Amino acid sequence: GAVVSQHPSRVICKSGTSVKIECRSLDFQATTMFWYRQFPKQSLMLMATSNEGSKATYEQGVEKDKFLINHASLTLSTLTVTSAHPEDSSFYICSARVTGGVGDTQYFGPGTRLTVL
Amino acid sequence: QKEVEQNSGPLSVPEGAIASLNCTYSDRGSQSFFWYRQYSGKSPELIMSIYSNGDKEDGRFTAQLNKASQYVSLLIRDSQPSDSATYLCAVNRGSNYKLTFGKGTLLTVNP
């Protein structure tokens, strides 16, 4: 399957700082990437859809000014958590859509565990 | 009504048995169906995709789709302890649509 990478895998930061997470499709081009968040023992929650060359589409209840998404190229999307607070501590996972064939498929990156002190 | 529902777990089976995971969905326009496996602390990994009615086999995994009943299942034959994970059912309407996930079923395979 397609390979998606994320960086960093783990980050610890102080409250009030900003954190940038990168999501890359390594062996394919992805016009669409997705950002999810997962709290312990809970299901995946879609935060936003990232489209190359256009503004991201945010899910209801997700603050676009707090979670900045930039999809500047066909292989890279970034999520910046601005002014992070302890309640933003979570597992952030990106996925990239592969299209073609019978249908499209999403492949996930390995995730970034964010801890805000 | 929940859009994608999975059978409540946790599900526990002995090693070597068949594990059966079930999923129903409410959107009749759904076109694509996926099973992901998620180990604790890790991100989801795609294990099966299915787009048409019937069975699709890949090694020890078989996905079954019945669009009339709005039902998709995953069978794991000869279950191994390494299969112990949360299995997520995901559905979408086809290309350019986002995935809708079920809450997942925790499977434990006992040696």
Side-chain angles (χ1 to χ4, degrees):
Chain A
V3 180
V4 178
S5 70
Q6 266 184 257
H7 178 80
S9 59
R10 186 179 295 268
V11 59
I12 300 173
C13 69
K14 292 181 178 179
S15 184
T17 60
S18 294
V19 174
K20 179 185 281 189
I21 303 170
E22 292 186 348
C23 177
R24 293 182 185 273
S25 57
L26 296 187
D27 51 359
F28 65 101
Q29 293 182 329
T31 54
T32 304
M33 293 182 175
F34 302 87
W35 287 96
Y36 295 83
R37 181 166 56 179
Q38 188 174 38
F39 292 106
K41 299 192 183 302
Q42 293 190 22
S43 188
L44 288 169
M45 186 193 82
L46 178 65
M47 299 175 66
T49 302
S50 170
N51 298 297
E52 188 269 336
S54 64
K55 290 184 178 180
T57 303
Y58 291 81
E59 295 300 301
Q60 190 173 7
V62 178
E63 300 174 58
K64 63 176 72 174
D65 294 331
K66 181 170 181 62
F67 298 99
L68 302 179
I69 292 173
N70 184 19
H71 195 151
S73 77
L74 288 172
T75 59
L76 174 64
S77 175
T78 60
L79 168 68
T80 301
V81 183
T82 63
S83 186
H85 288 91
E87 57 266 29
D88 298 322
S89 298
S90 188
F91 191 39
Y92 291 86
I93 314 171
C94 72
S95 71
R97 172 186 279 152
V98 176
T99 57
V102 178
D104 65 353
T105 306
Q106 282 188 37
Y107 292 91
F108 285 86
T112 297
R113 194 162 300 281
L114 171 64
T115 302
V116 185
L117 303 176
Chain B
Q1 181 184 3
K2 294 180 182 176
E3 295 184 40
V4 178
E5 288 199 56
Q6 297 186 234
N7 51 326
S8 58
L11 176 65
S12 181
V13 300
E15 184 175 356
I18 295 175
S20 177
L21 303 163
N22 303 314
C23 174
T24 58
Y25 58 94
S26 60
D27 183 357
R28 284 198 170 273
S30 299
Q31 299 289 329
S32 306
F33 307 86
F34 307 89
W35 284 99
Y36 288 85
R37 176 176 63 197
Q38 186 175 23
Y39 292 112
S40 181
K42 302 294 185 182
S43 67
E45 171 192 11
L46 179 68
I47 53 174
M48 289 287 282
S49 60
I50 187 167
Y51 304 98
S52 55
N53 282 327
D55 294 359
K56 179 181 177 183
E57 187 175 317
D58 183 0
R60 296 185 296 111
F61 299 97
T62 299
Q64 300 174 318
L65 175 62
N66 183 325
K67 290 185 179 180
S69 300
Q70 296 175 243
Y71 173 92
V72 58
S73 67
L74 180 70
L75 299 177
I76 306 174
R77 290 181 300 282
D78 188 24
S79 296
Q80 302 297 308
S82 58
D83 295 325
S84 298
T86 296
Y87 288 80
L88 301 168
C89 172
V91 171
N92 74 7
R93 281 179 152 253
S95 296
N96 300 318
Y97 287 91
K98 56 191 178 187
L99 283 176
T100 300
F101 283 88
K103 292 198 169 186
T105 299
L106 177 61
L107 170 67
T108 301
V109 180
N110 301 304

